[in-house]
Amino acid sequence: MRDGAGYSVGLAVVRGRSMQPTLYDGDRLLVVHGASPRPGGLAVVRLPDGVVAVKRATRREPGGWWVERDNPREGVDSWSVGAIPESDVVARVLCRVWPLRRR
């Protein structure tokens, strides 16, 4: 679904363990394509190796967004690849839609 400002709403699926304990492999997320992340919020980004991943956007820097993983033992983030250019921010995460509850 696209609105007049050029944003579109969609779903994303989490793969991997880099965002645990916040998100788990297989979680479904409601995202807004074309929207800038909010500091402290989650974003879907394209990493330098081309992998699309969910990361926490911690702050905006001159070179783009500084993104981090929630699990320090898994994955890649700006500590290893630097700031992610604004053009590689794919979407802002609005919420997890599935599973509804975690046990």
Side-chain angles (χ1 to χ4, degrees), residues 54-84:
V54 177
K55 300 295 175 194
R56 187 165 306 281
T58 59
R59 64 184 179 271
R60 188 183 296 242
E61 298 204 334
W65 280 93
W66 189 267
V67 299
E68 296 182 5
R69 55 205 162 143
D70 285 0
N71 181 350
R73 293 180 294 282
E74 295 283 337
V76 173
D77 62 12
S78 289
W79 290 104
S80 56
V81 299
I84 301 298

Side-chain angles (χ1 to χ4, degrees), residues 30-38 41-44 89-95:
L30 183 64
V31 301
V32 179
H33 295 273
S36 289
R38 293 185 175 135
L42 300 178
V44 179
V89 175
V90 176
R92 178 176 52 192
V93 175
L94 294 177
C95 63

